[in-house]
Amino acid sequence: MIILLGWTVLAWLLVRATQPPADATAPQSAPFLGGGTTGTHAWQRYHFRPYTMTLVFIAFEMEMMFMYPWAVVFVSEGIKALAEMGMFLAILSVGILYGWREGVFRWE
């Protein structure tokens, strides 16, 4: 606990040492070696479409990743394994339906 507290105090002191003073002028508080200030907000620069496509990809990928071992277990478990896979596929279907609603499958 003492080590954790020490790291927290050290991080706080480091932040305080690198912050510009409160009475700094605009050029002094501008980003250093990181370029100028941006003209647009971050959410305006990035469209949400790739994230929904990633959601659908992960849904299909997770489905295939768990279907192969499930096929081996199904032989020994029977109807219990079938019910568990049904619940798993139902949850993934919600993600796929969300992607469909967002228009991921429309070709643009």
Side-chain angles (χ1 to χ4, degrees), residues 10 13 17 20 22 32-33 45 51 70 74 98-99 104 106:
L10 181 66
L13 289 173
F32 180 70
L33 292 179
R45 292 183 298 202
Y51 303 117
W70 171 78
F74 177 70
Y98 173 73
V104 171
R106 274 187 253 135

Side-chain angles (χ1 to χ4, degrees), residues 3-14:
I3 294 171
L4 182 63
L5 183 63
W7 277 108
T8 305
V9 169
L10 181 66
W12 182 77
L13 289 173
L14 185 63

